[in-house]
Amino acid sequence: MELPVEILIHNTLVGLKGAQGTLLAISPHGYYEVNVRFGDKTHRVQLPIAETVVIRRTPEEAEAGEPIEVQR
């Protein structure tokens, strides 16, 4: 996945449930760096990977009969 990418964020620590944001970086120290709106302001936030789910906003599209390749 190329960064930055538009995502949906789920994180109970800060009360995000499907919040729209932008994934900027994935740190080897165990956190996602994202931009997310709180009220009318956009904030850069570091969220722990273990406590956070990120979902790409645009779904993957596979060719007919072709499996989707997942990068790890």
Side-chain angles (χ1 to χ4, degrees):
M1 175 177 3
E2 292 194 27
L3 300 178
V5 64
E6 299 300 311
I7 58 171
L8 300 173
I9 307 164
H10 295 268
N11 180 290
T12 57
L13 295 172
V14 291
L16 299 174
K17 189 173 183 182
Q20 294 186 9
T22 304
L23 178 60
L24 303 172
I26 302 171
S27 168
H29 303 290
Y31 63 86
Y32 296 117
E33 185 173 344
V34 301
N35 277 351
V36 64
R37 290 187 66 86
F38 289 99
D40 61 346
K41 305 274 186 190
T42 299
H43 296 270
R44 185 160 297 181
V45 181
Q46 296 174 337
L47 299 170
I49 291 172
E51 305 289 331
T52 307
V53 175
V54 295
I55 303 169
R56 188 176 180 160
R57 270 199 244 173
T58 56
E60 296 289 329
E61 305 237 354
E63 300 292 323
E66 298 276 328
I68 295 175
E69 183 179 328
V70 177
Q71 293 181 349
R72 298 181 196 263

